[in-house]
Amino acid sequence: MIAATQAWRGISREATAIRDAVRSAPRRTVAVESVLAGLALLCALAPLPLVPPPHPVMAALLGVWAALLVPARRIHPALTVLCCVPVVAGDNVWAMAVVPWVVWSAARRIAPVQHAWRVVGLSVAGSVLASAVVLSLDGIPDMAYLFAAAGGSALFILMPALSGLMLGRRRRLTGLLRERNAYLEHARSLADEAARMEERARIASATTTRSAG
């Protein structure tokens, strides 16, 4: 009972934090994220009636889960990458198509880099393990097929994560260079202003000396 109460309080706090983040975000950002989440949901659910999966309810839940990961990548990027594991291991290939973009966008927001690598490593290991477990539920699969499926699941997270991390590092370096250039420009402006004031003081002093003479 105590654990359930604590869990409910944690969910309530998280819901409040998400609501406050949405309210404080620019309207354009909210609109764009809503459209992206809607497109992800459409991509994950629209093909299901055409190609019915073995477990339609689970496939539909995975589609909704993938759509929820789209806005979550901005608020909790590390948790979003970890939460991509069930989508990769599930049987909704259309929801799985959303994962590379979500991982790429979330990975570049994770800092510091060491933490990002840990998150990516856990996600890759989790995707391999989850894929192996899901495939084993219907009986022991062929080992070659098992390794191929597990490796493919890992690449769905690893490759976009590497690209996102490199882009995030490049952006941070670019930001540091811009701050350095702005600082140097400000320092040069101060030095120029100090030189002008010194020159004015020298001219004023020379003028006063000539007047006194």
Side-chain angles (χ1 to χ4, degrees):
M1 185 65 180
I2 297 177
T5 303
Q6 293 177 346
W8 175 254
R9 289 177 179 176
I11 294 174
S12 299
R13 286 195 298 268
E14 187 64 24
T16 302
I18 293 174
R19 182 188 61 192
D20 294 340
V22 171
R23 288 180 176 178
S24 61
R27 291 185 178 181
R28 181 178 179 181
T29 301
V30 175
V32 170
E33 292 301 317
S34 300
V35 171
L36 291 176
L39 291 175
L41 185 63
L42 182 64
C43 175
L45 297 183
L48 295 184
L50 303 177
V51 186
H55 308 286
V57 175
M58 182 59 65
L61 291 177
L62 288 174
V64 175
W65 184 255
L68 292 176
L69 293 178
V70 173
R73 80 192 194 283
R74 284 181 169 270
I75 305 174
H76 300 295
L79 184 61
T80 299
V81 174
L82 292 172
C83 288
C84 286
V85 170
V87 182
V88 172
D91 60 352
N92 188 336
V93 295
W94 311 105
M96 193 185 302
V98 180
V99 169
W101 177 79
V102 171
V103 171
W104 172 82
S105 182
R108 63 190 180 94
R109 292 179 164 87
I110 303 175
V113 178
Q114 293 81 0
H115 179 54
W117 281 115
R118 286 194 295 269
V119 170
V120 172
L122 287 174
S123 299
V124 170
S127 65
V128 172
L129 180 60
S131 298
V133 170
V134 170
L135 291 175
S136 300
L137 292 178
D138 297 328
I140 300 177
D142 181 73
M143 294 304 296
Y145 177 73
L146 178 63
F147 285 135
S153 300
L155 290 178
F156 257 84
I157 292 179
L158 181 60
M159 298 307 293
L162 291 177
S163 177
L165 288 175
M166 288 188 292
L167 179 61
R169 183 176 181 182
R170 178 183 176 184
R171 287 191 171 183
R172 283 189 287 271
L173 290 176
T174 303
L176 290 175
L177 289 175
R178 288 177 179 174
E179 292 179 1
R180 175 179 175 275
N181 292 336
Y183 172 78
L184 293 176
E185 186 67 25
H186 182 63
R188 188 177 68 178
S189 299
L190 292 177
D192 293 342
E193 183 65 24
R196 286 193 295 269
M197 293 179 64
E198 184 178 355
E199 181 65 19
R200 290 170 186 164
R202 186 186 65 79
I203 294 174
S205 177
T207 302
T208 303
T209 302
R210 287 196 298 269
S211 300

